[in-house]
Amino acid sequence: MPHFFSRIPDELMAPEWEIFKRLELGETLIPNKYKELMGVALHAETKCQYCTLFHTEAAKLFGASDEEIQEAVHYAKNSLGWSAYLNGMQEDHETFSSELAQIGEYLGSPG
């Protein structure tokens, strides 16, 4: 168990450790490698050096390559940039939603 858990109050230790084990280390619907790549991308934005290091190393332990880690971070950068643009320009949400539905219908239609 990582030492930082020692600072958690005794009455909360068991549930915190159980959740950590299940979500971070256990097999869930999302394969561990992908969960950890999501963690790398997420914490590249939150700028938490502890979480970024943890998820980077965990991603490697679960088989992620340096290239996959770089792609996850680049994806986060790109997605966050579009979020800043769309929100900053105050794009109409209804129009955006409607256009997204049309794109989904087009891509889902037989060739």
Side-chain angles (χ1 to χ4, degrees), residues 22 37-38 41 48 55 61-62:
R22 280 190 194 178
L37 288 170
M38 288 188 295
C48 175
H55 291 291
L61 287 173
F62 287 117

Side-chain angles (χ1 to χ4, degrees), residues 62-81:
F62 287 117
S65 67
D66 289 339
E67 292 80 9
E68 288 172 313
I69 292 167
Q70 182 179 28
E71 183 176 322
V73 173
H74 194 87
Y75 182 85
K77 177 198 71 85
N78 187 60
S79 183
L80 290 162

Side-chain angles (χ1 to χ4, degrees), residues 98-108:
S98 175
E99 289 174 347
L100 185 58
Q102 290 173 8
I103 292 167
E105 288 173 13
Y106 175 79
L107 292 176

Side-chain angles (χ1 to χ4, degrees), residues 1 16 21 25-26 30 55 61-62 79 92 94 101-102 106:
M1 180 182 305
E16 288 292 341
K21 280 191 325 185
L25 306 174
I30 301 170
H55 291 291
L61 287 173
F62 287 117
S79 183
D92 181 69
E94 293 295 324
Q102 290 173 8
Y106 175 79

Side-chain angles (χ1 to χ4, degrees), residues 25-43:
L25 306 174
E27 289 293 326
T28 64
L29 296 175
I30 301 170
N32 287 341
K33 176 177 153 180
Y34 301 129
K35 285 190 296 188
E36 298 307 334
L37 288 170
M38 288 188 295
V40 171
L42 170 70
H43 294 294

Side-chain angles (χ1 to χ4, degrees), residues 3 5 14 19 28 39 43 52 81 95 98:
H3 90 279
F5 276 90
I19 290 169
T28 64
H43 294 294
T52 301
T95 301
S98 175

